[in-house]
Amino acid sequence: MRKIVLMMSVSLDGYIEGPDRDISWHVVDEELHQYFNDTIRRMGGLLGGRVTHQLMAAYWPTADADPDASPTVVDFAAIWRDMPKYVYSRTLESADWNTTIVREVVPEEVEALKNRPGTGDLGLGGADLAAVFLGHGLVDEIHLCVHPVLIGRGKPLFPDTDTLTALRLVESRTFGNGVVLLRYAVRG
């Protein structure tokens, strides 16, 4: 069975974005971008919310048309276009680029998606959607890329909760730019 893998970049103090959706503090160099490409290329699909999808769809479908695009950007544009995507939204009317709109997180439907034939885990992105998936016990792994910065305020990855989620460290890796990958299995 495929796994649901929450994949996010966070500041050291736990934010995914600063005020006004600022992510300029992300430290993404060629090495880290190549890691993202290699990891996502092996995925069987991407799960995200409307905001995340619209941000990605505003850039990646044509990012490789820019003559100044780096090889990793060109590569990721093709990965993103071809990857099956599931966007959870009650308001989005249509979506292109191999995207299926899903109105609600229904645990039985997510389990059925995990059990579909095919290879590759399912990458989950977005703090709000992650909170819903975690609340239903649907997240199998958490991959955090912790950026070497404190931003002080913004949108936290994990909302306040009374639920304890036990994790087991599976991998850690330090990139040359100071970003640290922390990969955890969620204990059931």
Side-chain angles (χ1 to χ4, degrees):
M1 178 168 42
R2 300 188 287 183
K3 295 181 282 190
I4 303 288
V5 179
L6 172 58
M7 301 173 58
M8 294 293 296
S9 286
V10 297
S11 63
L12 183 59
D13 50 352
Y15 296 101
I16 63 165
E17 60 187 27
D20 300 319
R21 295 206 165 110
D22 177 33
I23 59 169
S24 63
W25 49 269
H26 282 199
V27 184
V28 180
D29 61 5
E30 289 299 306
E31 178 192 20
L32 183 59
H33 207 297
Q34 188 64 55
Y35 165 78
F36 291 148
N37 289 8
D38 294 343
T39 301
I40 294 171
R41 181 187 336 276
R42 293 188 304 269
M43 294 274 165
L46 298 174
L47 313 171
R50 178 188 56 80
V51 171
T52 300
H53 177 74
Q54 288 178 323
L55 288 170
M56 298 292 281
Y59 180 72
W60 288 109
T62 59
D64 52 351
D66 180 348
D68 296 326
S70 70
T72 53
V73 167
V74 169
D75 186 32
F76 189 77
I79 294 167
W80 188 87
R81 277 193 306 264
D82 295 341
M83 181 69 58
K85 291 170 279 301
Y86 301 87
V87 177
Y88 288 83
S89 173
R90 293 183 189 105
T91 59
L92 192 63
E93 294 298 322
S94 65
D96 294 323
W97 308 108
N98 204 15
T99 303
T100 301
I101 298 173
V102 183
R103 296 294 176 206
E104 299 287 335
V105 177
V106 178
E108 297 79 15
E109 292 176 3
V110 174
E111 291 294 337
L113 182 60
K114 286 172 62 172
N115 287 315
R116 279 189 192 162
T119 59
D121 294 331
L122 301 168
L124 172 65
D128 295 333
L129 188 59
V132 174
F133 272 66
L134 284 163
H136 286 298
L138 296 170
V139 176
D140 302 298
E141 286 191 10
I142 299 174
H143 295 196
L144 297 181
C145 283
V146 181
H147 292 252
V149 62
L150 300 170
I151 64 172
R153 60 190 175 105
K155 183 174 188 117
L157 173 56
F158 300 111
D160 290 341
T161 181
D162 293 328
T163 304
L164 176 68
T165 303
L167 306 172
R168 180 177 51 84
L169 184 65
V170 175
E171 176 188 7
S172 63
R173 174 179 172 184
T174 303
F175 294 90
N177 61 9
V179 170
V180 175
L181 167 69
L182 298 172
R183 189 167 71 97
Y184 294 97
V186 177
R187 295 181 182 176

